[in-house]
Each structure stands twice: as structure tokens, then as C-alpha cells.
Amino acid sequence: MPKYLIVATYSAEGTKGVLREGGSERRKMIADMAKNLGGELESFYYAFGANDVYSVVDLPDNVTAAAISMHISAAGMARCNVTVLVTPEEMDGAARTKMYYRPPGA
């Protein structure tokens, strides 16, 4: 199953919600959401800095990942970015793929 990195940044209201409910409640909600979509939460961490949450989820496909991103962002309490994660073995396959490419202006 494909893995995705979800990076979220809370709005002021979203941060107030975490203060009310606690951090582990948000982790449980993300785990439940992933499970209901046929996936699984692998890891969930809070961080200091520009972004507040880093989580890795296994999801069925890009459509499901896009749906999660849109629903989280549309709620207005957090802005999120989703990145498709590629395994070393998948990168090996990409490196072995033969193709023609011409750089711009070459």
C-alpha cells in the first residue's frame, strides 16, 4: 500500500482545539480516519517550527490521499500538504527505467 507523508500546520483555532482535547486525541482521530478509508496510520509526531504535525499513513491510492488533504484543509483548522513516499526498492526500479529525455535548450 502506498505511503504518504502528511504535514499539517494548525491555525490559531486549530491550536486551541489541541489545547482543549490534547495531542493524543488528534492522533487517534487521524488513525481512525485512515482506517475508515482502508489505510493505517504508521506514525504521528508533533514538532516545533513552521509545521505542527508530521504523520505517515498507508493509504489505498492518490485519490484517498487527495481527499484527506482537501477535507483537512477545508475544515479551516489546519493547512496540510501530502507527499507521496517512495521506497528504496521503488527508486531502484525508477533508476533502471530506460527512457529518452532531452533537457530544455539542449
Side-chain angles (χ1 to χ4, degrees), residues 25-41:
E25 181 60 32
R26 298 313 312 156
R27 180 184 59 202
K28 180 184 178 315
M29 200 288 311
I30 297 298
D32 290 346
M33 179 181 61
K35 184 178 179 182
N36 289 335
L37 293 168
E40 182 178 13
L41 176 65

Side-chain angles (χ1 to χ4, degrees), residues 36-90:
N36 289 335
L37 293 168
E40 182 178 13
L41 176 65
E42 179 181 297
S43 61
F44 183 97
Y45 291 96
Y46 288 96
F48 301 122
N51 300 304
D52 298 312
V53 176
Y54 292 84
S55 57
V56 175
V57 294
D58 297 321
L59 296 170
D61 51 41
N62 289 341
V63 172
T64 306
I68 285 175
S69 177
M70 289 190 301
H71 283 278
I72 289 173
S73 293
M77 300 296 215
R79 179 180 43 80
C80 80
N81 295 302
V82 178
T83 302
V84 178
L85 299 177
V86 179
T87 68
E89 294 78 16
E90 290 170 325

Side-chain angles (χ1 to χ4, degrees), residues 8 11 16 20-21 31 38 49 52 56 71 94 98 106:
S11 66
K16 290 175 187 176
R20 267 191 316 274
E21 296 179 359
D52 298 312
V56 175
H71 283 278
K98 302 298 180 204

